Amino acid sequence: MSLKSIDAAMLQKMFLSGAKALDAKKDYINELNVFPVPDGDTGTNMTMTIMAAAKEVAGLENPDINQLGKAISSGSLRGARGNSGVIMSQIFRGFVKGIKGNDVLDVNILANAVQHAADTAYKAVMKPKEGTILTVARAGADKAIEIIINDDIEDIIEFCDAVAESMEEALQKTPDLLPVLKQAGVVDSGGEGLMTFLRGATDALKGKVSDFTITSRGSVKTVKTSLPAEAEADIKYGYCTEFIIMLEQSADTAEPQLKEYLQGIGDCVVVVADDEIVKVHVHTNDPGLAIQKALSFGALTSMKIDNMREEHHEKVIRDATRIAAQQKKEMKEEKPAQAAPRKKTGFIVVSAGDGLADIFRDLKADYIIEGGQTMNPSTDDILEAINNVNADNIFILPNNGNIILAANQAKELAKDKNIIVIPTKNIPQGIAALINYVEGSSVADNEKNMSGEMLSIKSGQVTYAVRDTNMDGKDIKKGDYMGLTDKTIVSVGKDAKEAAKKLIESLVSDDSELVSLYYGADATEEEAELIADEIVAAYSDIDVEVQYGGQPVYSYFISVE
């Protein structure tokens, strides 16, 4: 039977099926990350990106193509995390533009949309690299255009199979384009993520999938602790549910409707609207009902669900009261920077670790987004930070190469503020950039100065290997410590101290004057001071500063200048 067109209902099923397929294989995709450091998060980032859109898509009843497209584009753009997630969101954005304005989709419309998807993704990356998800997307676009030029396929299923086959071939060839993939014996993880989504989508098209239910897994934090069974019966509503709604309608109507509904399914209800957002707190036995209702008012962010029945009864009651009271107070102070007089310049920094947070605050950072390796903030997280800084010009320091694209995407979505993204790839670069901001200089001059000075320092980090591998001529075993510079493995050792010393030695030159050592949560001040003493003894003209960073995953961040 020939299928010459599909409608919005089928496209909705295809998208949800693709999202579920990606969610099911995210751990496998994470394992395809080439470097053996504990930041193999491509699968996680892509899944969280697509699930942000899938929740919006799943909440639509009988949508048309335009409504469906808006949910896909808006949800993925705001939920995008990491480079792979941002590129995936741009693929969806381009595809949605290509199908806009149609009631049904045929091969010609789909082919043009696939090409538009690849073009949009390429334009989003300043320096596109072949052998990645972009290559796989481009292969699909080339095949799609070839099909409509030759006019030899009218059946949608046949078209999808032909495009997917070309993309699969391109995926298998990614190791030939990126030697690091061939060395590791893997295909590109982002490309595999895209193909995983496409396989799931075509399965729905072929009638192989019947369950399109989207769970909250992947973006909602569920906290579980232990509680004696006899205490459970005392808790009427077991789940403390919190989220923020990015409103798509008037707050004047949303706030009272939400309050009335939530009071019918729970207690401790706090619903406070502030311009385009509504912050919600409720205790309920069915968080799904609260979330489903909220989705009818707009997209959700900052979601958290705590299982209170697994906490001690007295602690639950005490904390519930405190949280409800604190929530009310927070809503009055939701945007403390906005309440202050508007200023000319503000700074947003991405960082993890209480010590590093203190350092950035001392350098006049206005807003610190908790994040970094293994926990890339989404575009929406960065947008929220922008909304909370009351300044005409806002400098954003991502401090991680995998967050720069999301920061740039937030820049494009931000309104009424001039956003400047300084492309810092690590913490030492971020500190150097912020130190070199000159009060009184123009925005353009500061952007140039900060971007230039961050590159004048040499930087590296020490972390541990999560798998056995051989890379950069080094035999690495799981648990070994590695010294990295721009993801080139410089040193390998059985302990962090030795790896750090060898890394510093590789960074130091005759012109070096200062080494800064930021020790993380799994390192000690004593060990850091020992490293400093040995470096001072070896290099008499170099000073060494030791500072507490408290960062997870990385034992040391190191800068040399």
Side-chain angles (χ1 to χ4, degrees):
M1 180 179 176
S2 178
L3 183 64
K4 293 189 176 182
S5 66
I6 58 173
D7 59 10
M10 174 53 73
L11 187 62
Q12 183 181 34
K13 291 178 180 178
M14 291 174 68
F15 186 84
L16 296 176
S17 179
K20 288 173 68 71
L22 184 57
D23 184 35
K25 290 194 68 176
K26 63 178 179 291
D27 291 336
Y28 167 72
I29 296 168
N30 283 341
E31 288 298 316
L32 292 178
N33 280 265
V34 173
F35 283 86
V37 298
D39 63 351
D41 51 5
T42 298
T44 299
N45 283 338
M46 295 182 82
T47 297
M48 294 183 77
T49 298
I50 200 170
M51 281 301 178
K55 291 182 181 68
E56 293 193 35
V57 170
L60 297 175
E61 293 185 10
N62 302 316
D64 58 27
I65 292 292
N66 288 351
Q67 291 170 331
L68 183 60
K70 181 180 179 181
I72 292 172
S73 180
S74 175
S76 61
L77 280 172
R78 290 179 171 273
R81 296 172 186 267
N83 290 343
S84 55
V86 172
I87 293 172
M88 186 78 138
S89 73
Q90 291 297 321
I91 289 173
F92 291 143
R93 185 184 186 189
F95 182 85
V96 162
K97 286 184 178 180
I99 64 173
K100 188 176 181 179
N102 295 283
D103 294 326
V104 294
L105 310 177
D106 60 16
V107 166
N108 284 341
I109 295 172
L110 286 172
N112 285 310
V114 171
Q115 182 186 39
H116 202 61
D119 289 344
T120 304
Y122 267 86
K123 289 176 183 177
V125 181
M126 187 170 295
K127 295 181 180 179
K129 183 182 292 186
E130 298 302 332
T132 65
I133 183 175
L134 293 172
T135 303
V136 178
R138 173 59 64 200
D142 290 345
K143 184 63 177 181
I145 297 304
E146 177 189 322
I147 288 172
I148 60 172
I149 289 175
N150 295 333
D151 196 25
D152 56 355
I153 295 178
E154 294 184 356
D155 180 69
I156 298 283
I157 294 177
E158 187 179 353
F159 168 81
C160 289
D161 283 343
V163 170
E165 183 179 355
S166 291
M167 294 173 70
E168 197 76 62
E169 290 175 359
L171 175 64
Q172 298 307 316
K173 291 178 181 177
T174 53
D176 297 330
L177 299 174
L178 281 178
V180 68
L181 295 176
K182 179 169 284 189
Q183 185 179 13
V186 297
V187 297
D188 177 67
S189 56
E192 176 62 34
L194 178 58
M195 289 309 303
T196 299
F197 169 82
L198 188 56
R199 294 178 200 125
T202 54
D203 280 348
L205 180 65
K206 296 175 182 179
K208 296 180 179 180
V209 179
S210 58
D211 181 10
F212 303 101
T213 305
I214 296 295
T215 67
S216 59
R217 183 177 52 174
S219 61
V220 178
K221 179 183 177 183
T222 302
V223 180
K224 295 184 177 181
T225 56
S226 61
L227 171 69
E230 60 270 20
E232 292 189 18
D234 296 334
I235 302 173
K236 185 176 181 181
Y237 297 105
Y239 295 94
C240 176
T241 306
E242 301 174 42
F243 49 80
I244 291 175
I245 308 172
M246 314 299 290
L247 285 176
E248 297 175 357
Q249 57 181 271
S250 171
D252 293 337
T253 58
E255 184 177 0
Q257 288 182 39
L258 271 168
K259 282 183 178 177
E260 181 179 358
Y261 179 82
L262 295 175
Q263 285 169 351
I265 65 168
D267 62 9
C268 293
V269 175
V270 179
V271 178
V272 184
D274 186 357
D275 295 329
E276 296 181 348
I277 70 169
V278 173
K279 192 162 187 177
V280 175
H281 171 277
V282 60
H283 293 173
T284 178
N285 284 328
D286 195 337
L289 291 176
I291 291 170
Q292 184 177 5
K293 181 66 175 180
L295 284 169
S296 67
F297 294 98
L300 305 189
T301 185
S302 302
M303 301 172 68
K304 184 168 75 75
I305 298 174
D306 292 344
N307 186 340
M308 299 189 300
R309 284 198 174 94
E310 294 189 24
E311 298 178 354
H312 189 274
H313 178 70
E314 291 182 1
K315 184 177 185 298
V316 170
I317 300 302
R318 183 174 64 250
D319 283 355
T321 303
R322 176 182 57 79
I323 289 170
Q326 181 179 344
Q327 198 80 345
K328 294 176 183 177
K329 179 181 178 182
E330 286 177 350
M331 284 310 303
K332 292 178 182 178
E333 304 171 349
E334 182 65 30
K335 299 179 181 179
Q338 294 283 22
R342 193 172 180 92
K343 58 182 182 177
K344 181 180 178 181
T345 305
F347 302 93
I348 295 172
V349 174
V350 181
S351 179
D354 53 340
L356 292 175
D358 288 340
I359 291 171
F360 281 117
R361 288 191 190 98
D362 289 342
L363 294 173
K364 309 303 181 185
D366 295 278
Y367 195 108
I368 296 173
I369 302 173
E370 185 76 12
Q373 289 303 136
T374 73
M375 47 180 178
N376 300 151
S378 68
T379 298
D380 205 37
D381 292 332
I382 300 172
L383 277 172
E384 182 180 356
I386 291 172
N387 291 334
N388 276 276
V389 176
N390 193 17
D392 296 326
N393 307 287
I394 300 176
F395 288 86
I396 300 179
L397 283 69
N399 295 337
N400 186 291
N402 209 32
I403 301 174
I404 294 173
L405 279 181
N408 282 320
Q409 189 152 279
K411 172 183 176 178
E412 296 300 319
L413 296 172
K415 300 176 182 178
D416 303 325
K417 294 176 182 178
N418 180 36
I419 308 301
I420 308 98
V421 178
I422 305 297
T424 51
K425 294 183 178 180
N426 53 53
I427 292 295
Q429 284 188 353
I431 292 173
L434 207 48
I435 286 174
N436 284 282
Y437 173 81
V438 179
E439 191 73 42
S441 292
S442 68
V443 171
D445 285 345
N446 267 312
E447 180 179 8
K448 181 179 179 180
N449 187 52
M450 294 167 74
S451 297
E453 289 299 327
M454 77 176 194
L455 297 176
S456 68
I457 67 168
K458 300 176 183 178
S459 57
Q461 47 270 328
V462 175
T463 188
Y464 57 91
V466 295
R467 68 177 74 91
D468 294 349
T469 189
N470 186 286
M471 188 166 290
D472 297 331
K474 296 176 176 60
D475 188 30
I476 302 167
K477 301 297 182 184
K478 181 179 179 180
D480 284 350
Y481 283 88
M482 303 172 294
L484 310 173
T485 59
D486 294 329
K487 287 200 169 182
T488 296
I489 300 174
V490 173
S491 61
V492 178
K494 294 301 179 184
D495 62 70
K497 178 172 173 286
E498 287 304 310
K501 281 178 54 184
K502 292 178 181 178
L503 174 60
I504 293 170
E505 290 168 1
S506 74
L507 296 172
V508 167
S509 66
D510 293 339
D511 298 329
S512 300
E513 298 177 351
L514 174 66
V515 174
S516 297
L517 197 64
Y518 306 92
Y519 64 95
D522 66 342
T524 64
E525 183 178 6
E526 181 182 15
E527 182 183 72
E529 292 290 355
L530 285 175
I531 296 172
D533 290 343
E534 293 184 22
I535 295 301
V536 169
Y539 303 95
S540 58
D541 295 333
I542 293 180
D543 293 326
V544 181
E545 289 184 352
V546 173
Q547 298 192 60
Y548 170 65
Q551 68 272 7
V553 180
Y554 288 89
S555 303
Y556 295 99
F557 288 137
I558 297 166
S559 69
V560 177
E561 50 191 303

